[in-house]
Amino acid sequence: MSLVTVNHVRFGHGVNILLEDVVLGVDEGQKIGLVGRNGCGKSTLLKIIAGKIQPDHGSVGLQRGIRIGYLEQEPKLDPSHTLRSAAAAAFGRLDEIQRELDEVFEGMATAQGAELDRLMARQTVLESEFDRLGGHATDHKVDAVLHGLGFIDAQFSTPVTSLSGGQRARLGLAKLLLEQPDLLMLDEPTNHLDIDGRRWLEDFLADEFKGAVLVVSHDRWLLDRVVHRIVEIDQGVIHEYPGNYADFVNLRRERMELQARVHEKQQDRIRAETEYILRYKAGQRAKQARGRATRLERYKESELVERPMELDAMDIDLPRAPELGDRAIEAHGLGKSYGARTLFKGLDVLIKPGERIGIIGPNGCGKSTLVKILLGELEPDGGEIKRAPRLRSGWFRQTHDHLDGSLTVWQYLQQAVPPRSNGMKLNEQEARNLAGAFLFSGEAQEKPLGALSGGERTRAVIAGLVAGANNILVLDEPTNHLDIPSAERLEQSLAPRSEHGGYDGALLLISHDRALLETTCDRLIAFDGEGHVEFFQGRYSEWEAKRTERAKEAESRRRAEAERDRRKAAQAAAPATTTSPPSPSTVPAKAAAAPVQPAKAAPSAKAPAPKGAHSKLSDEKLNAEIAKATDRMEALDAELADPAVYRDGDKVKRLNEERSSLQARLSELEDEWLRRAS
């Protein structure tokens, strides 16, 4: 059933049309990725669906009673709340139910007859809704979501007013996820999340969240994991693709290649028409030539298809960086601490020319600090560093305050790229070619830097750095403001140098963008956030596989240890003899407290009591099995009471399934014990 229907929506500002005749449907449970270039109208479409803005034309139909959750860039939070209470406010309806239940119970104390029946019926309805909304597990859910999004217990009591912008954004996301709406609309939800947070979010959306999802994201791994349909906005028009992001890439490539062929055919027609017009504009066929010229202009305005810029490759002779020896940077015994917190110590780092190294880890763990130390911008607490004499570094930072905002894009690139070995700088056409290679169209090349969006400015700076003859390049979260086509072009520009350009220096990439890490880096420096650093030779996907294998091994060891402990406990609890049944004091609490139902009454000689699957067990073995099952039940309850467990959705599901199965088995064992005791 359709939750949302977008009917022929049009929206624009003057002549700038963002959305043109958009038709879109979102069905129950569908998970859809909304993609497109920055500024193409993705966020606008979400706001129109959420009712934040009205379209110029068309309408949006919503299913009756639908609950829409919309992640705004600046979430609205109650300043009187702490971090945890603000997240728990998502369960406001549960608080209302609990208050009404209290009133019902109070009324039932004195009610009689029809009034008592009415109150009991209302109690049943309220308790059913309470259970459906997860009322008995809200504390676990709140803690699990907050932990999953990177908060720690020590931050739970922090006032909302003391949170940073990034923390407020994550808190807004947590509250929205806890509300469990019918349709969840997320606009760049991973912007303030590290890799662990992104991994948790995509697992939650893929496995836990049962509603529909409409997500705008540049995180290609999240789109691959979560969505089953891609909607692309391109020049105001939407194109729909079945499948996840990987499927979309292939289908979009086919569409662009078709568009390129149409473009070439159109250019052939334009060239032929132009040739005819020029040949006959002054002869006997001048009138025909003028008519064809008029038709040609109308054709260009209404039917001309542009060649997709994504198909163009960077093909320009760029200056080369000075060659280094066999080492770019070598460091031994590096250490850095701030107060009582140690970021790293005793660290040995070797960076060779041409190496591609990804630096990963939680926010604030010391990634940027390490790079600053390696490049000489910050002194370590200990250790020594040797840098190649001809080392030339280019650093992409989060802020670009150093830029001259009056320069146009091509002028900036002309200045940013150093002269070649013959002393010649880029001419205007070469600078424009470089800008075009980084997806700046002809008009965009004329924009001053001060008028560019964050993503456009990022592209311009990266273009200058990649082409800037640097033999080591440091990129600190370069894709934070890049749309997917721009991120893909960055990946292409960082590929080893070939006849079509590329980069042949060393790379230090600090990033949470797993797709970028996978494509560009073949070695990782991984921080765990607790002062430990690991070096890994291989791609990011190989690191993920190793990490998963480690987690499985750790879980296997934990289970083996728990099994050994259970066996020891069962042996210790077993009675010394096998002939007499256990005394009442040894009966598990559940069995001892269980009321004796008529079916459990002592059997007559003519009708022996039925025997269960455990009837062949000896008394000693039956006792041991009850003790073992009871201990395991207590262990499971202890695990399920630990908020940290809820970071792993698969583990929670597995524990609950094991508990249900164990509960059934324990009931059978206790029934058998009661049968014998009777």
Side-chain angles (χ1 to χ4, degrees):
M1 183 179 294
S2 181
L3 294 174
V4 175
T5 305
V6 179
N7 302 303
H8 304 286
V9 160
R10 183 180 188 274
F11 185 88
H13 302 286
V15 297
N16 181 24
I17 305 300
L18 286 178
L19 303 172
E20 182 66 72
D21 198 34
V22 170
V23 175
L24 177 67
V26 181
D27 293 338
E28 292 180 358
Q30 278 194 333
K31 293 175 180 177
I32 303 171
L34 190 57
V35 303
R37 300 291 300 273
N38 285 340
C40 71
K42 302 185 297 294
S43 298
T44 299
L45 181 56
L46 292 187
K47 290 177 181 177
I48 289 174
I49 294 174
K52 303 291 183 181
I53 58 177
Q54 295 300 313
D56 299 332
H57 177 77
S59 63
V60 175
L62 302 178
Q63 185 186 94
R64 184 186 299 274
I66 183 177
R67 294 180 303 119
I68 295 180
Y70 173 54
L71 179 64
E72 300 184 76
Q73 296 300 318
E74 293 292 334
K76 294 180 176 62
L77 301 169
D78 187 336
S80 66
H81 279 163
T82 63
L83 186 149
R84 195 184 187 286
S85 65
F91 297 108
R93 175 56 186 156
L94 287 172
D95 293 337
E96 294 175 4
I97 295 173
Q98 188 60 62
R99 284 194 294 270
E100 188 174 351
L101 275 172
D102 291 341
E103 294 173 0
V104 168
F105 293 142
E106 185 177 347
M108 289 170 65
T110 57
Q112 294 180 357
E115 177 62 13
L116 180 59
D117 291 340
R118 185 189 68 81
L119 290 174
M120 292 178 67
R122 183 58 181 162
Q123 174 194 353
T124 301
V125 171
L126 290 172
E127 288 180 341
S128 176
E129 184 180 2
F130 192 82
D131 291 339
R132 180 172 56 82
L133 295 176
H136 297 293
T138 55
D139 287 343
H140 287 323
K141 289 182 179 179
V142 171
D143 292 348
V145 171
L146 290 176
H147 286 147
L149 294 177
F151 292 108
I152 59 176
D153 290 348
Q155 295 173 308
F156 284 7
S157 59
T158 304
V160 164
T161 52
S162 300
L163 299 177
S164 68
Q167 289 172 327
R168 291 171 65 89
R170 282 188 283 141
L171 175 56
L173 175 59
K175 185 171 180 290
L176 196 60
L177 296 178
L178 288 166
E179 288 173 354
Q180 295 279 308
D182 302 306
L183 171 61
L184 187 59
M185 297 199 301
L186 304 176
D187 194 351
E188 295 297 347
T190 61
N191 271 359
H192 301 283
L193 299 180
D194 58 22
I195 288 178
D196 285 341
R198 295 179 184 213
R199 188 187 299 111
W200 179 89
L201 176 62
E202 65 190 36
D203 287 344
F204 181 90
L205 294 178
D207 300 330
E208 300 293 323
F209 185 72
K210 303 306 179 186
V213 176
L214 184 56
V215 56
V216 174
S217 180
H218 297 154
D219 189 318
R220 290 163 283 174
W221 277 41
L222 182 141
L223 293 174
D224 253 350
R225 174 85 167 83
V226 173
V227 309
H228 309 108
R229 177 178 157 206
I230 295 284
V231 175
E232 180 189 27
I233 301 179
D234 183 17
Q235 297 180 349
V237 179
I238 68 168
H239 304 275
E240 298 199 35
Y241 304 83
N244 61 8
Y245 181 77
D247 299 320
F248 160 71
V249 168
N250 295 327
L251 294 171
R252 182 185 60 165
R253 182 81 184 183
E254 293 175 5
R255 183 176 68 82
M256 288 193 301
E257 289 174 347
L258 175 61
Q259 183 176 333
R261 289 194 293 271
V262 171
H263 172 81
E264 292 302 325
K265 289 182 178 179
Q266 289 180 332
Q267 293 302 310
D268 290 341
R269 176 177 173 179
I270 290 171
R271 282 190 289 269
E273 289 292 305
T274 302
E275 182 180 350
Y276 180 92
I277 293 166
L278 292 175
R279 179 180 299 176
Y280 296 111
K281 66 178 182 178
Q284 294 180 346
R285 301 182 183 178
K287 185 176 181 180
Q288 290 179 307
R290 288 194 298 272
R292 293 177 76 158
T294 301
R295 288 194 296 273
L296 180 60
E297 289 304 314
R298 285 201 297 264
Y299 175 76
K300 289 180 180 179
E301 291 176 3
S302 62
E303 298 185 38
L304 189 60
V305 173
E306 293 186 5
R307 173 181 170 80
M309 295 182 66
E310 288 90 336
L311 293 179
D312 296 330
M314 185 167 63
D315 190 3
I316 183 173
D317 180 25
L318 297 172
R320 292 180 176 269
E323 292 188 6
L324 303 175
D326 58 353
R327 283 167 167 75
I329 299 176
E330 185 175 7
H332 296 282
L334 293 183
K336 190 64 179 180
S337 300
Y338 288 101
R341 186 184 181 199
T342 299
L343 297 180
F344 48 85
K345 62 180 179 180
L347 201 61
D348 296 337
V349 182
L350 175 61
I351 302 173
K352 297 180 180 179
E355 275 197 312
R356 311 301 175 93
I357 302 173
I359 305 178
I360 61 176
N363 291 327
C365 66
K367 304 185 295 293
S368 297
T369 299
L370 174 61
V371 172
K372 289 178 181 178
I373 289 173
L374 292 175
L375 295 183
E377 290 200 3
L378 188 66
E379 287 298 319
D381 296 339
E384 59 178 4
I385 306 172
K386 295 179 182 179
R387 304 179 186 90
R390 304 181 72 189
L391 188 69
R392 178 184 174 123
S393 63
W395 193 329
F396 174 83
R397 305 170 189 267
Q398 293 299 308
T399 59
H400 306 127
D401 299 335
H402 62 288
L403 300 179
D404 182 349
S406 65
L407 294 176
T408 65
V409 171
W410 72 266
Q411 289 171 338
Y412 165 74
L413 293 177
Q414 193 176 39
Q415 290 190 10
V417 178
R420 301 181 181 86
S421 57
N422 60 6
M424 296 291 293
K425 290 185 65 67
L426 294 186
N427 59 40
E428 179 178 341
Q429 188 56 52
E430 289 173 325
R432 289 184 180 277
N433 290 344
L434 177 58
F438 280 83
L439 307 182
F440 286 99
S441 63
E443 292 182 1
Q445 294 175 14
E446 298 293 341
K447 284 186 179 180
L449 296 182
L452 297 181
S453 67
E456 289 172 326
R457 194 156 46 245
T458 293
R459 271 190 283 132
V461 172
I462 290 177
L465 289 173
V466 171
N470 299 297
N471 44 35
I472 186 168
L473 195 58
V474 178
L475 302 181
D476 191 351
E477 295 295 350
T479 58
N480 271 1
H481 300 289
L482 293 184
D483 53 36
I484 290 177
S486 299
E488 291 174 339
R489 181 47 51 95
L490 171 60
E491 292 172 1
Q492 296 169 17
S493 69
L494 293 175
R497 187 186 289 269
S498 67
E499 59 179 335
H500 296 299
Y503 173 70
D504 55 6
L507 172 67
L508 294 178
L509 173 63
I510 303 172
S511 182
H512 300 310
D513 186 333
R514 293 160 291 174
L516 181 66
L517 289 163
E518 174 72 12
T519 305
T520 58
C521 299
D522 50 21
R523 184 180 167 209
L524 299 175
I525 300 177
F527 288 71
D528 69 354
E530 298 179 0
H532 302 104
V533 182
E534 180 178 352
F535 294 85
F536 179 77
Q537 191 69 42
R539 296 280 177 185
Y540 179 81
S541 57
E542 297 172 304
W543 164 257
E544 274 282 350
K546 180 181 178 182
R547 190 174 179 275
T548 301
E549 185 61 31
R550 283 178 177 171
K552 289 180 179 178
E553 290 174 356
E555 179 66 14
S556 296
R557 287 195 299 270
R558 189 197 64 77
R559 288 186 177 185
E561 292 170 0
E563 180 64 24
R564 284 196 298 270
D565 292 342
R566 287 196 298 272
R567 287 178 179 175
K568 290 179 181 178
Q571 291 171 359
T577 65
T578 63
T579 57
S580 58
S583 65
S585 62
T586 66
V587 180
K590 178 177 177 180
V596 179
Q597 303 295 332
K600 303 292 184 182
S604 66
K606 294 181 180 180
K611 295 184 178 181
H614 308 288
S615 60
K616 295 182 179 180
L617 294 176
S618 68
D619 289 345
E620 180 182 7
K621 184 65 173 176
L622 178 64
N623 238 9
E625 288 295 316
I626 290 176
K628 178 180 175 182
T630 303
D631 289 344
R632 179 55 183 159
M633 182 71 76
E634 292 175 354
L636 287 172
D637 288 340
E639 281 196 82
L640 288 168
D642 182 3
V645 171
Y646 286 79
R647 297 182 184 181
D648 187 340
D650 290 338
K651 184 176 182 180
V652 172
K653 182 179 179 182
R654 186 172 63 251
L655 290 175
N656 279 317
E657 289 175 349
E658 182 184 353
R659 192 185 188 285
S660 297
S661 176
L662 186 62
Q663 180 67 63
R665 183 167 180 271
L666 185 57
S667 295
E668 293 174 0
L669 290 168
E670 291 170 349
D671 287 346
E672 175 63 20
W673 186 90
L674 287 171
R675 187 188 68 80
R676 297 183 187 187
S678 63

